[in-house]
Amino acid sequence: MATSILLSSSFSPTPRIPGCPNFIFSTPKLNRIVTPMNSYSTRSFLKTTQLLPSNCLMKSRRVFVLGESDTSVSKDVLVGEDSADFDLAKQKITSWIYFTGVLGVVLFILDIAWLDNSTGFGKVFIDSLSAVSDSPEIVMFLLTLIFAIVHSGLASLRDPGEKLIGERAFRVLFAGTSLPLAVSTIVYFINHRYDGVQLWQLQSVPWLHHLLWVTNFISFFFLYPSTFNLLEVAAVDKPKMHLWESGIMRITRHPQLAGQVMWCLAHTVWIGNSVAVAASVGLIGHHLFGAWNGDRRLKIRYGEAFDIVKSRTSIIPFAAILDGRQKLPKDYYKEFIRLPYLAITGLTLGAYFAHPLMQAASYRLHW
């Protein structure tokens, strides 16, 4: 028998709140109160029901479950979650104070245990890889490869890891292992980005800098929506594996991959040497594997609900929209007029103007 699919229907003439999409997904914290079904529902298909999140639907909404006799789901009904949703009124000051404290402690430990050349292991790690080869291209590729193995490997072990030590402890392990490796990769790229063989020189081409700057800027809007859940990232809130569907997910099911490709192309075209190519090959290869691995893990976690999301989204940006599998709402732009994207705009502009500071900090590490 096919896995049950949740469908929502209204049993009240009260209209739905305008601008709020329909959502259908199963999470442990949904209200599990069972309500009477519509008189026209086929009772042979009904199973245990759940109320949908109150932030997007009227409280009078209810859900019923269809079995294999009816597997169609309306395209205007979301099976996944609303990405980049941030309700300021629901935020707790204590949680963000705790987050600030956690961030400070993490940065302090990272500096002492990894970044400081006199006490940390970062320089030892880079020196050990540099001993393998004098080629900055090989070292750059090895850095991305090691990060990819650790990052994706731990992600693949998330389900058994969380069952063994808990969600928060596993997130600390995951972040505590991935963060130093990511910093080392970034610092090495900054310090050696103009080493290697110059393959082309296009920096004198008119308007190229502006085109690549816009490409790079847009790439940060393709961050995976879970990145915005800072309280979960820092394990202040219990981390969850989300099935996102709205916002950037309508354009591509793997926005992190699309954004990384855009970032790599922009930097590689501008720098034009073999180190940039090696970094881009490693990063794009990692994200291609991450796309496959992410789909695999979501399929295991969400089953048929993920199949529905997959059927109306695409890996290639805009492909599902162009072939009619994804229908954008008339007010689609509102899914981007949200605080996380405002923050991304500010941080991206800030990072661009802070490039000299980032480069100076990297040079002082002597990696």
Side-chain angles (χ1 to χ4, degrees), residues 32 53 96 125 127 144 200 338 341:
R32 300 187 67 84
W96 287 102
F125 174 65
D127 289 344
T144 58
W200 57 80
R338 292 176 171 178
Y341 286 108

Side-chain angles (χ1 to χ4, degrees), residues 118-313:
S118 61
T119 60
F121 293 94
K123 189 175 189 305
V124 176
F125 174 65
I126 295 295
D127 289 344
S128 64
L129 291 181
S130 299
V132 174
S133 174
D134 294 331
S135 168
E137 296 90 347
I138 293 178
V139 176
M140 187 73 252
F141 183 78
L142 287 176
L143 283 167
T144 58
L145 179 63
I146 292 171
F147 172 78
I149 292 173
V150 172
H151 190 266
S152 293
L154 286 174
S156 299
L157 295 173
R158 179 174 181 172
D159 285 344
E162 289 182 343
K163 291 179 181 178
L164 181 64
I165 62 176
E167 291 90 341
R168 285 188 171 90
F170 187 82
R171 174 55 58 89
V172 171
L173 173 64
F174 178 80
T177 307
S178 300
L179 183 58
L181 296 176
V183 171
S184 293
T185 304
I186 294 171
V187 168
Y188 189 89
F189 175 75
I190 293 175
N191 289 349
H192 297 271
R193 67 192 185 282
Y194 288 118
D195 294 344
V197 179
Q198 194 68 36
L199 303 175
W200 57 80
Q201 179 57 260
L202 302 176
Q203 295 184 5
S204 60
V205 175
W207 299 105
L208 180 63
H209 178 269
H210 299 80
L211 174 63
L212 297 181
W213 188 92
V214 171
T215 301
N216 185 67
F217 179 79
I218 294 175
S219 73
F220 284 91
F221 286 86
F222 282 78
L223 285 171
Y224 193 66
S226 289
T227 309
F228 304 143
N229 294 1
L230 296 179
L231 296 181
E232 289 187 26
V233 171
V236 175
D237 288 346
K238 184 179 292 186
K240 306 177 186 68
M241 184 185 295
H242 296 272
L243 179 62
W244 304 111
E245 189 175 4
S246 65
I248 195 67
M249 308 300 286
R250 297 182 187 273
I251 295 176
T252 169
R253 190 169 68 254
H254 292 286
Q256 197 86 9
L257 168 61
Q260 188 66 71
V261 170
M262 295 170 68
W263 186 93
C264 286
L265 287 178
H267 283 77
T268 301
V269 169
W270 182 253
I271 296 173
N273 64 25
S274 53
V275 172
V277 171
S280 295
V281 170
L283 290 171
I284 293 175
H286 169 45
H287 282 76
L288 285 171
F289 173 80
W292 170 84
N293 196 38
D295 281 355
R296 181 188 66 84
R297 293 167 55 225
L298 286 172
K299 170 63 176 177
I300 294 173
R301 177 68 67 93
Y302 288 99
E304 192 170 351
F306 170 71
D307 289 336
I308 296 171
V309 172
K310 183 179 179 180
S311 69
R312 54 196 188 191
T313 56

